[in-house]
Amino acid sequence: MVEILIDSFNDVIQIVPVLFIIILLTNWITVKVGKGTPFFSRATRLDVPGGALLGIIPQCGISVAFAKLYGNGYISLGMLMAIFLAGSDEALIVIGAHPDKLLVMLGIIGIKVLVGTSAGWLINLVIKEKRNRLKGCGIDCNCPKCGKHKNIIVNTLVHTLRLTLFLFVTVFIIGFGADRFGEEGIYSLLGRNAFLQPVLASLIGMIPSCFSSVLIAEGFLKGALGFGSMLAGLLANTGFGILVLFKELTLKKTLLIILLLQAISILVGEIFHFTIG
């Protein structure tokens, strides 16, 4: 047990400086695309493709804010789904912190933007809803998870420490599982070579927590999840956005959105699972 704790700490501590730099850059970008900035206004006017571009920013406030906007009728369902499908919370930060996985991270971003845009356009084509044109609404989030200090450095430090803790717990769990059951045991549990793995990953990704995206990212990096399954989990991950829909919409409509999100995530995940792995 002690050896697993030490190994987990050593694995995580090596990427902490990179995490800090990436999160600092992300926070700076988030400030730049905040309320009233030209980029934010132009992106929202683009509807679906704008939503996909905003979604790739690894910041939970994006999905939360736009879920509220959808609930108030400001944006289309297609744009909301583009944001949900393109977003990944902290998973891209975790993967991008490993230099050898940089091209993989860029590939994930490209696929998620493509899936988000395509699915969003198709949804808007099939499902017609009454909506208003967005006019200068912001993306600042006041939920407990996204509470921010005014100083960007302090906020980045807090975010880095929190993510480091999540990473340490996740790496420890995976390490403990590998020690207890063996890698093949974990693969069997997750159904690595079965149709079921992208489905399980998608359900895990739907859990409204930063931990779920970190778990999926680390599972992929450690080899416990295939690329298709990882993709299914990240496509389904919306951070706290889904919880907002439960508050803003009827239960029936929220469940329909969840089923739609799951269906798209699993379909794309299965395609990549059986073509790439």
Side-chain angles (χ1 to χ4, degrees), residues 66-180:
F66 278 91
K68 292 178 182 177
L69 292 175
Y70 175 73
N72 291 326
Y74 282 101
I75 65 173
S76 67
L77 178 59
M79 183 177 183
L80 178 70
M81 291 299 291
I83 291 169
F84 279 177
L85 290 166
S88 303
D89 213 358
E90 271 103 349
L92 293 179
I93 295 177
V94 174
I95 296 173
H98 295 76
D100 60 318
K101 297 295 183 182
L102 183 59
L103 290 179
V104 176
M105 183 195 72
L106 294 176
I108 294 171
I109 292 174
I111 292 170
K112 286 168 68 63
V113 169
L114 180 61
V115 171
T117 303
S118 302
W121 268 333
L122 184 59
I123 288 169
N124 280 349
L125 185 65
V126 175
I127 303 175
K128 302 297 183 181
E129 292 184 321
K130 183 179 179 181
R131 58 188 172 90
N132 301 317
R133 174 61 61 186
L134 182 64
K135 296 179 180 179
C137 295
I139 61 173
D140 290 335
C141 174
N142 294 318
C143 71
K145 182 185 177 219
C146 296
K148 295 181 179 63
H149 193 280
K150 291 182 179 180
N151 188 303
I152 190 172
I153 299 297
V154 174
N155 181 50
T156 300
L157 282 171
V158 172
H159 193 167
T160 302
L161 289 173
R162 188 188 68 202
L163 183 53
T164 300
L165 177 61
F166 280 140
L167 273 173
F168 176 75
V169 173
T170 304
V171 172
F172 172 76
I173 291 174
I174 293 174
F176 179 79
D179 181 71
R180 181 79 179 270

Side-chain angles (χ1 to χ4, degrees), residues 216-231:
I216 290 169
E218 274 299 321
F220 169 69
L221 292 172
K222 296 294 183 181
L225 285 177
F227 183 84
S229 300
M230 175 271 297
L231 197 57

Side-chain angles (χ1 to χ4, degrees), residues 48-69:
V48 170
L53 290 174
L54 288 170
I56 63 175
I57 300 173
Q59 216 278 344
C60 75
I62 301 291
S63 64
V64 169
F66 278 91
K68 292 178 182 177
L69 292 175

